[in-house]
Amino acid sequence: MKKHLLFLGAPGAGKGTQAELLSQNNSYLHLSTGELLRKEIEINTILGRQVKDIINSGELVSDELVLKIVRQNLDRDHNKKGWILDGYPRNLSQANSLNEVLNEINQPLEVVFYLDIPEEVLIKRLLLRGRKDDTEETIRTRVDIYKKTTEPLIQYFKDLSLLEYIDADRDLKTISSDIKQKMAG
Ligand code: ADP
């Protein structure tokens, strides 16, 4: 039975890191929309050129474009134990689209790990990370967008009884073993 997991949380909460840790050990497909978009920029595709300025300003890429990328990457037989989505969905419209896609391909979501972290901690983390879109101004934009458009998804997934709360203000390994324990139980 394949596993289909999702990581939800603010920018800097550690979604990518935890998803990566889990996927290396368990051979899941790790799909990070942020990573996929950055790759498009790096290899300078038409899509990459379309999204570059948006990403560097900290705004969200259009639902349509991101859905296309998600669909392309999920809708294949990956010969893996399952997949981990990270960075998608980021608003209610994306959540509804995801629901449709997963129904179509008959791969229902089993659990959503919500990585919870205080705002001041994540801002510090993002400033330390120093990615191109990690300037003080874009961080503020991203955190504001997160609060406004992504945070309501916590309740959305709670209502679907899919939400698992994770305290993300701890060291990497502790969080990782917490997640694994929750998956096993
Ligand atoms: P972080 O979680 O630190 O914000 P990500 O790598 O998840 O980093 O995302 C980086 C950027 O990629 C976002 O600020 C946004 O511009 C774009 N992006 C990623 N995922 C989505 C999405 N689901 N919808 C719209 N834009 C997205």
Side-chain angles (χ1 to χ4, degrees):
M1 180 73 170
K2 295 202 178 194
K3 286 259 184 204
H4 306 124
L5 320 173
L6 198 150
F7 279 77
L8 184 67
K15 303 180 295 291
T17 308
Q18 291 301 330
E20 203 47 49
L21 279 172
L22 202 60
S23 62
Q24 272 168 11
N25 296 337
N26 294 312
S27 49
Y28 293 105
L29 173 73
H30 173 202
L31 285 182
S32 154
T33 44
E35 279 294 316
L36 291 167
L37 291 166
R38 280 190 289 280
K39 203 166 285 163
E40 297 284 334
I41 296 175
E42 198 184 304
I43 59 175
N44 199 21
T45 60
I46 295 171
L47 177 65
R49 288 196 288 275
Q50 273 175 297
V51 301
K52 188 175 176 182
D53 291 343
I54 303 169
I55 289 189
N56 288 336
S57 72
E59 301 284 337
L60 292 185
V61 172
S62 78
D63 293 345
E64 222 182 320
L65 276 182
V66 184
L67 177 61
K68 202 169 144 193
I69 285 195
V70 170
R71 204 186 265 283
Q72 274 168 3
N73 282 278
L74 279 181
D75 196 16
R76 280 194 228 139
D77 188 7
H78 290 284
N79 196 22
K80 297 260 188 189
K81 284 189 181 172
W83 44 254
I84 305 171
L85 257 183
D86 144 28
Y88 190 88
R90 262 171 148 95
N91 58 35
L92 276 171
S93 147
Q94 293 185 1
N96 289 324
S97 301
L98 178 65
N99 189 30
E100 277 173 32
V101 173
L102 297 185
N103 279 337
E104 266 170 42
I105 61 178
N106 201 17
Q107 297 183 18
L109 201 53
E110 275 114 35
V111 56
V112 174
F113 290 111
Y114 164 51
L115 303 192
D116 188 26
I117 190 156
E119 189 172 331
E120 58 290 359
V121 179
L122 65 91
I123 289 175
K124 258 186 230 154
R125 282 194 192 174
L126 290 170
L127 284 171
L128 279 174
R129 185 169 73 178
R131 212 170 62 197
K132 201 161 178 213
D133 58 341
D134 286 339
T135 64
E136 254 182 270
E137 200 192 332
T138 48
I139 288 171
R140 207 172 315 121
T141 307
R142 275 157 53 213
V143 171
D144 284 351
I145 294 177
Y146 170 76
K147 283 201 214 154
K148 235 180 270 158
T149 75
T150 314
E151 226 165 42
L153 296 182
I154 298 168
Q155 190 60 45
Y156 174 94
F157 287 118
K158 208 185 239 173
D159 290 344
L160 294 171
S161 305
L162 290 174
L163 202 79
E164 280 285 353
Y165 171 91
I166 304 285
D167 175 2
D169 190 13
R170 296 177 295 171
D171 71 273
L172 241 139
K173 286 199 177 128
T174 312
I175 299 169
S176 181
S177 54
D178 190 7
I179 292 172
K180 279 175 200 155
Q181 210 174 329
K182 288 203 160 84
M183 274 179 71

